[in-house]
């Protein structure tokens, strides 16, 4: 309960993606990633709403299941050459 109050006081909004990259690339204004467990992770209604709203406003917004999936999304978004 204490943590929820602290987050609310800091401006946290329920369902907002876990990772947000404030770097425009191509047609996107930025990148939003909702992190879920590889197995059993579920996206809530408020998370789906945020993803849809961000996409409608020109952001790339995705759900990544696991660390490797999140890393691949970031590498792809930033256009990083992983072979260096």
């Amino acid at each position: 309960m204490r943590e929820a109050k602290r987050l609310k006081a800091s401006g946290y909004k329920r369902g907002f993606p876990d990772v947000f990259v404030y770097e425009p690339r191509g047609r996107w204004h930025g990148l939003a990633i909702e992190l879920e467990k590889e197995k059993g992770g579920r996206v809530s209604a408020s998370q789906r709403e945020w993803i849809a709203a961000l996409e409608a406003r020109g952001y790339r917004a995705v759900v990544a299941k696991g660390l490797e999936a999140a890393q691949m999304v970031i590498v792809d978004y930033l256009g990083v050459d992983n072979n260096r």
Side-chain angles (χ1 to χ4, degrees):
M1 201 56 174
R2 186 180 315 185
E3 181 68 7
K5 286 180 183 179
R6 185 187 68 75
L7 287 170
K8 186 173 182 179
S10 70
Y12 174 80
K13 301 289 184 190
R14 182 180 301 276
F16 191 79
D18 298 307
V19 176
F20 203 95
V21 178
Y22 294 92
E23 180 66 31
R25 285 289 195 265
R27 66 183 183 115
W28 304 109
H29 300 308
L31 171 65
I33 304 173
E34 178 58 42
L35 300 171
E36 296 293 336
K37 295 186 288 186
E38 269 186 72
K39 296 181 183 180
R42 287 187 359 188
V43 180
S44 71
S46 59
Q47 291 167 329
R48 282 191 296 275
E49 289 171 10
W50 269 109
I51 289 169
L54 288 165
E55 285 180 338
R57 288 168 176 79
Y59 292 89
R60 182 169 177 207
V62 299
V63 175
K65 292 218 171 201
L67 176 62
E68 285 185 29
Q71 289 172 328
M72 289 186 340
V73 168
I74 293 169
V75 166
D76 178 60
Y77 180 77
L78 294 176
V80 177
D81 183 0
N82 232 8
N83 295 323
R84 289 185 194 191

